Amino acid sequence: NAGVTQTPKFRVLKTGQSMTLLCAQDMNHEYMYWYRQDPGMGLRLIHYSVGEGTTAKGEVPDGYNVSRLKKQNFLLGLESAAPSQTSVYFCASSYSIPGRATDTQYFGPGTRLTVL
Amino acid sequence: TQLLEQSPQFLSIQEGENLTVYCNSSSVFSSLQWYRQEPGEGPVLLVTVVTGGEVKKLKRLTFQFGDARKDSSLHITAAQPGDTGLYLCAGAAFGAGSYQLTFGKGTKLSVIP
Protein backbone atom coordinates (compact mmCIF):
# COMPACT_ATOMS: atom_id res chain seq x y z
CA ASN A 1 0.00 0.00 0.00
CA ALA A 2 2.02 2.95 -1.30
CA GLY A 3 -0.59 5.65 -0.59
CA VAL A 4 -0.06 8.67 -2.86
CA THR A 5 2.95 8.70 -5.16
CA GLN A 6 4.20 11.47 -7.42
CA THR A 7 6.59 11.43 -10.35
CA PRO A 8 9.01 12.97 -10.95
CA LYS A 9 10.45 14.20 -7.64
CA PHE A 10 12.50 16.97 -9.23
CA ARG A 11 12.43 18.67 -12.60
CA VAL A 12 14.09 21.66 -14.22
CA LEU A 13 12.42 23.21 -17.26
CA LYS A 14 13.22 26.07 -19.56
CA THR A 15 10.62 28.75 -20.16
CA GLY A 16 8.14 27.58 -22.77
CA GLN A 17 8.72 23.86 -22.31
CA SER A 18 5.90 21.54 -21.40
CA MET A 19 5.66 18.69 -18.94
CA THR A 20 3.23 16.42 -17.12
CA LEU A 21 3.28 15.55 -13.44
CA LEU A 22 1.78 12.20 -12.53
CA CYS A 23 -0.04 11.42 -9.31
CA ALA A 24 -1.18 7.91 -8.42
CA GLN A 25 -3.12 6.64 -5.41
CA ASP A 26 -3.93 3.08 -4.42
CA MET A 27 -6.59 3.81 -1.80
CA ASN A 28 -9.56 3.83 -4.21
CA HIS A 29 -10.28 7.47 -3.37
CA GLU A 30 -12.80 9.40 -5.41
CA TYR A 31 -11.36 12.86 -4.72
CA MET A 32 -7.97 14.03 -5.92
CA TYR A 33 -6.28 17.43 -5.76
CA TRP A 34 -3.29 19.32 -7.06
CA TYR A 35 -1.77 22.05 -4.88
CA ARG A 36 1.26 24.27 -5.20
CA GLN A 37 3.29 25.44 -2.23
CA ASP A 38 5.37 28.58 -2.39
CA PRO A 39 7.41 30.18 0.41
CA GLY A 40 5.18 32.36 2.55
CA MET A 41 2.07 31.44 0.57
CA GLY A 42 0.92 28.17 2.07
CA LEU A 43 -0.80 25.56 -0.09
CA ARG A 44 -3.02 26.76 -2.91
CA LEU A 45 -5.43 24.55 -4.83
CA ILE A 46 -4.80 24.39 -8.58
CA HIS A 47 -7.36 21.86 -9.81
CA TYR A 48 -9.31 19.03 -8.29
CA SER A 49 -11.39 16.04 -9.31
CA VAL A 50 -14.43 14.52 -7.66
CA GLY A 51 -14.28 11.33 -9.68
CA GLU A 52 -13.00 9.60 -12.78
CA GLY A 53 -13.52 11.74 -15.86
CA THR A 54 -14.32 14.92 -13.93
CA THR A 55 -12.10 17.90 -13.14
CA ALA A 56 -12.67 21.40 -11.81
CA LYS A 57 -10.69 24.59 -11.28
CA GLY A 58 -9.35 25.60 -7.91
CA GLU A 59 -7.93 28.87 -6.68
CA VAL A 60 -4.98 29.20 -9.11
CA PRO A 61 -5.75 27.21 -12.30
CA ASP A 62 -4.23 29.49 -14.95
CA GLY A 63 -1.40 27.90 -16.94
CA TYR A 64 -2.29 24.36 -15.87
CA ASN A 65 -4.46 21.59 -17.24
CA VAL A 66 -5.46 18.30 -15.65
CA SER A 67 -6.94 14.97 -16.60
CA ARG A 68 -8.45 12.08 -14.63
CA LEU A 69 -8.85 9.28 -17.15
CA LYS A 70 -8.42 6.58 -14.51
CA LYS A 71 -9.68 6.73 -10.95
CA GLN A 72 -6.25 6.11 -9.50
CA ASN A 73 -4.38 8.70 -11.56
CA PHE A 74 -4.50 12.49 -11.71
CA LEU A 75 -2.24 14.27 -14.19
CA LEU A 76 -1.16 17.90 -14.03
CA GLY A 77 0.10 19.47 -17.24
CA LEU A 78 2.04 22.62 -17.93
CA GLU A 79 1.71 23.50 -21.62
CA SER A 80 4.19 26.39 -21.67
CA ALA A 81 6.13 26.69 -18.45
CA ALA A 82 6.86 30.11 -16.96
CA PRO A 83 9.27 31.09 -14.15
CA SER A 84 6.21 31.96 -12.01
CA GLN A 85 5.37 28.27 -12.00
CA THR A 86 8.52 27.44 -10.07
CA SER A 87 7.12 25.78 -6.98
CA VAL A 88 6.66 22.55 -5.07
CA TYR A 89 3.61 20.67 -6.32
CA PHE A 90 1.65 18.34 -4.08
CA CYS A 91 -1.00 15.87 -5.04
CA ALA A 92 -3.55 14.68 -2.50
CA SER A 93 -6.45 12.29 -2.41
CA SER A 94 -9.39 11.73 -0.07
CA TYR A 95 -12.29 9.37 0.40
CA SER A 96 -14.86 12.04 1.17
CA ILE A 97 -15.33 15.73 0.55
CA PRO A 98 -13.54 18.34 2.67
CA GLY A 99 -15.56 19.42 5.65
CA ARG A 100 -16.70 15.99 6.71
CA ALA A 101 -15.40 14.95 10.11
CA THR A 102 -14.14 11.76 8.53
CA ASP A 103 -12.32 13.48 5.70
CA THR A 104 -8.58 13.01 5.51
CA GLN A 105 -6.51 14.28 2.64
CA TYR A 106 -3.46 12.12 2.02
CA PHE A 107 -0.60 13.96 0.41
CA GLY A 108 2.16 12.73 -1.84
CA PRO A 109 5.82 13.63 -1.24
CA GLY A 110 5.80 16.50 -3.73
CA THR A 111 7.51 17.45 -6.98
CA ARG A 112 9.99 20.29 -6.90
CA LEU A 113 9.81 22.15 -10.23
CA THR A 114 12.16 24.90 -11.32
CA VAL A 115 11.47 26.90 -14.47
CA LEU A 116 14.44 28.86 -15.78
CA THR B 1 -12.17 33.47 -1.16
CA GLN B 2 -11.82 32.61 2.50
CA LEU B 3 -8.57 33.63 4.13
CA LEU B 4 -6.89 31.99 7.10
CA GLU B 5 -4.32 33.99 9.01
CA GLN B 6 -1.82 31.98 11.01
CA SER B 7 0.36 33.40 13.74
CA PRO B 8 3.13 33.44 14.53
CA GLN B 9 4.81 32.73 11.21
CA PHE B 10 7.99 31.52 12.91
CA LEU B 11 8.53 30.20 16.42
CA SER B 12 11.77 29.05 18.01
CA ILE B 13 11.56 27.71 21.55
CA GLN B 14 13.53 25.60 24.01
CA GLU B 15 12.65 22.01 24.71
CA GLY B 16 10.11 21.78 27.52
CA GLU B 17 8.41 25.11 26.84
CA ASN B 18 4.74 25.50 25.97
CA LEU B 19 3.46 27.25 22.86
CA THR B 20 0.26 28.21 21.10
CA VAL B 21 -0.32 28.70 17.38
CA TYR B 22 -3.35 30.62 16.16
CA CYS B 23 -5.45 30.37 13.05
CA ASN B 24 -7.96 33.17 12.44
CA SER B 25 -10.48 34.12 9.78
CA SER B 26 -13.45 36.38 9.22
CA SER B 27 -15.19 33.49 7.46
CA VAL B 28 -17.09 30.56 8.94
CA PHE B 29 -15.79 27.09 8.17
CA SER B 30 -17.67 23.81 8.34
CA SER B 31 -14.57 22.21 9.83
CA LEU B 32 -10.95 22.99 10.47
CA GLN B 33 -7.96 20.74 10.15
CA TRP B 34 -4.39 20.92 11.41
CA TYR B 35 -1.52 19.37 9.48
CA ARG B 36 2.17 18.98 10.20
CA GLN B 37 4.69 19.01 7.40
CA GLU B 38 8.34 18.00 7.63
CA PRO B 39 10.99 19.15 5.13
CA GLY B 40 10.78 17.31 1.81
CA GLU B 41 7.48 15.65 2.64
CA GLY B 42 3.79 16.29 2.18
CA PRO B 43 1.54 17.50 5.01
CA VAL B 44 0.12 14.90 7.36
CA LEU B 45 -3.24 15.37 9.04
CA LEU B 46 -3.15 15.75 12.82
CA VAL B 47 -6.78 16.47 13.65
CA THR B 48 -10.16 17.63 12.34
CA VAL B 49 -12.48 19.76 14.47
CA VAL B 50 -16.06 20.17 13.37
CA THR B 51 -18.19 21.58 16.20
CA GLY B 52 -17.89 25.14 17.48
CA GLY B 53 -16.11 25.10 20.84
CA GLU B 54 -14.76 21.60 20.26
CA VAL B 55 -11.52 20.63 21.98
CA LYS B 56 -9.44 17.65 20.92
CA LYS B 57 -6.28 16.32 22.48
CA LEU B 58 -3.55 14.34 20.82
CA LYS B 59 -0.97 13.47 23.47
CA ARG B 60 0.72 16.82 24.24
CA LEU B 61 -1.19 18.69 21.51
CA THR B 62 -4.51 20.38 22.26
CA PHE B 63 -6.67 21.72 19.44
CA GLN B 64 -9.62 24.05 19.86
CA PHE B 65 -12.23 25.26 17.39
CA GLY B 66 -13.71 28.67 18.13
CA ASP B 67 -17.35 28.91 19.16
CA ALA B 68 -18.20 30.76 15.94
CA ARG B 69 -16.15 28.33 13.81
CA LYS B 70 -13.97 31.16 12.52
CA ASP B 71 -10.78 30.45 14.41
CA SER B 72 -8.73 27.69 15.95
CA SER B 73 -5.69 27.20 18.13
CA LEU B 74 -3.05 24.55 18.60
CA HIS B 75 -1.35 24.33 21.99
CA ILE B 76 1.71 22.18 22.56
CA THR B 77 2.72 21.34 26.12
CA ALA B 78 6.35 20.61 26.95
CA ALA B 79 7.57 20.84 23.37
CA GLN B 80 10.11 18.28 22.18
CA PRO B 81 12.56 18.41 19.26
CA GLY B 82 10.35 15.91 17.44
CA ASP B 83 7.63 18.57 17.31
CA THR B 84 9.76 20.63 14.94
CA GLY B 85 8.04 21.22 11.61
CA LEU B 86 5.62 23.39 9.66
CA TYR B 87 2.13 23.49 11.13
CA LEU B 88 -0.70 24.29 8.74
CA CYS B 89 -4.32 24.97 9.48
CA ALA B 90 -6.93 24.39 6.78
CA GLY B 91 -10.58 25.35 6.77
CA ALA B 92 -13.27 23.61 4.74
CA ALA B 93 -15.97 25.67 3.06
CA PHE B 94 -18.21 25.43 0.03
CA GLY B 95 -16.99 27.36 -2.98
CA ALA B 96 -16.80 27.03 -6.78
CA GLY B 97 -19.17 24.10 -6.81
CA SER B 98 -17.62 21.95 -4.14
CA TYR B 99 -16.22 21.92 -0.67
CA GLN B 100 -12.58 22.94 -0.71
CA LEU B 101 -9.81 23.38 1.80
CA THR B 102 -8.24 26.79 2.31
CA PHE B 103 -4.83 26.60 3.92
CA GLY B 104 -3.12 29.11 6.14
CA LYS B 105 0.46 30.09 5.34
CA GLY B 106 1.83 27.99 8.15
CA THR B 107 3.81 28.32 11.36
CA LYS B 108 7.37 27.07 11.24
CA LEU B 109 8.26 25.66 14.66
CA SER B 110 11.79 24.90 15.81
CA VAL B 111 12.27 23.20 19.15
CA ILE B 112 15.84 23.49 20.37
CA PRO B 113 17.18 20.66 22.55
Side-chain angles (χ1 to χ4, degrees), chain A residues 36-73:
Chain A
R36 60 178 290 174
Q37 186 174 37
D38 302 294
M41 295 296 292
L43 283 158
R44 292 182 292 171
L45 183 65
I46 305 171
H47 285 280
Y48 65 98
S49 170
V50 300
E52 181 179 325
T54 70
T55 63
K57 295 180 180 179
E59 180 186 353
V60 288
D62 294 342
Y64 305 95
N65 57 76
V66 288
S67 64
R68 183 100 181 267
L69 298 180
K70 293 182 178 181
K71 186 177 183 178
Q72 63 269 33
N73 296 336

Side-chain angles (χ1 to χ4, degrees), chain A residues 1-5 24-29 72 93:
Chain A
N1 193 345
V4 179
T5 58
Q25 53 94 4
D26 60 3
M27 295 173 282
N28 202 34
H29 286 167
Q72 63 269 33
S93 72

Side-chain angles (χ1 to χ4, degrees), chain A:
Chain A
N1 193 345
V4 179
T5 58
Q6 293 182 234
T7 53
K9 293 187 184 298
F10 302 93
R11 186 71 186 268
V12 178
L13 290 178
K14 294 182 179 179
T15 297
Q17 288 185 319
S18 63
M19 78 162 295
T20 300
L21 282 66
L22 172 63
C23 175
Q25 53 94 4
D26 60 3
M27 295 173 282
N28 202 34
H29 286 167
E30 290 290 341
Y31 300 82
M32 296 188 75
Y33 316 84
W34 275 108
Y35 293 91
R36 60 178 290 174
Q37 186 174 37
D38 302 294
M41 295 296 292
L43 283 158
R44 292 182 292 171
L45 183 65
I46 305 171
H47 285 280
Y48 65 98
S49 170
V50 300
E52 181 179 325
T54 70
T55 63
K57 295 180 180 179
E59 180 186 353
V60 288
D62 294 342
Y64 305 95
N65 57 76
V66 288
S67 64
R68 183 100 181 267
L69 298 180
K70 293 182 178 181
K71 186 177 183 178
Q72 63 269 33
N73 296 336
F74 196 26
L75 279 63
L76 177 71
L78 285 73
E79 291 186 347
S80 179
S84 61
Q85 294 178 304
T86 293
S87 187
V88 182
Y89 291 86
F90 287 99
C91 175
S93 72
S94 66
Y95 176 74
S96 62
I97 60 173
R100 295 273 178 87
T102 54
D103 171 61
T104 300
Q105 287 198 15
Y106 295 88
F107 285 81
T111 294
R112 186 174 294 275
L113 175 66
T114 301
V115 183
L116 303 175

Side-chain angles (χ1 to χ4, degrees), chain B residues 38-92:
Chain B
E38 300 193 17
E41 299 181 7
V44 176
L45 179 67
L46 295 174
V47 76
T48 301
V49 285
V50 180
T51 306
E54 184 177 2
V55 177
K56 281 192 174 180
K57 292 191 175 183
L58 185 64
K59 296 183 180 178
R60 294 175 293 100
L61 280 61
T62 302
F63 305 85
Q64 185 163 7
F65 202 11
D67 291 340
R69 290 186 288 131
K70 294 181 178 181
D71 55 85
S72 181
S73 64
L74 157 61
H75 182 79
I76 301 179
T77 303
Q80 298 178 359
D83 296 327
T84 293
L86 179 69
Y87 289 82
L88 297 160
C89 65

